[in-house]
Amino acid sequence: MGGARIWRWGLTLALWGMPQLPVSAQTCLERYGQTGCAARLYAEMLCAHFDRPDVMRNRESQLADRFEEAGLDLAGISASEVETAAVGYYTPMLCPQKSGAIRRLFNRS
């Protein structure tokens, strides 16, 4: 009985350190709001491809498609707001091992 409890405790601790899975475009807006959803989707792209600029350029249209799928209305939201939230908040959660390099890329330490 105690061994199972310890195993579950260890699994819970391990899961806390794991990167979060990509969010579906359908649930993004209701979970994170307009700016948060845009930043979260952008952070997912950065985590996956930031170290390959040629791929990043090709993914921009896919990102726009994901924004559209999520139903985002970006009127009144600056690109800077989305970038700041993506780089400073979401990349450390989604890809902690790459987050420092991403922050340096955007000159945000």
Side-chain angles (χ1 to χ4, degrees), residues 2 8 13 24 33 43 45 47 56-57 60-61 63 65 67-68 72-73 82-83 86 96-99 101 109:
R8 281 193 303 266
L13 289 176
S24 79
M45 186 181 80
C47 287
M56 284 286 290
R57 280 189 292 277
E60 288 176 2
S61 66
L63 182 62
D65 291 345
F67 283 0
E68 191 174 316
L72 292 176
D73 176 10
V82 172
E83 182 182 288
Q97 71 285 3
K98 296 178 181 179
S99 180
S109 299

Side-chain angles (χ1 to χ4, degrees), residues 3-51:
R5 190 173 324 135
I6 291 171
W7 184 83
R8 281 193 303 266
W9 171 254
L11 179 61
T12 300
L13 289 176
L15 290 175
W16 279 348
M18 290 179 64
Q20 296 181 10
L21 297 174
V23 70
S24 79
Q26 290 76 25
T27 62
C28 184
L29 185 57
E30 66 187 43
R31 288 183 71 190
Y32 301 105
Q34 298 287 343
T35 304
C37 179
R40 171 72 192 236
L41 294 174
Y42 184 46
E44 288 175 8
M45 186 181 80
L46 287 172
C47 287
H49 306 292
F50 85 97
D51 54 348

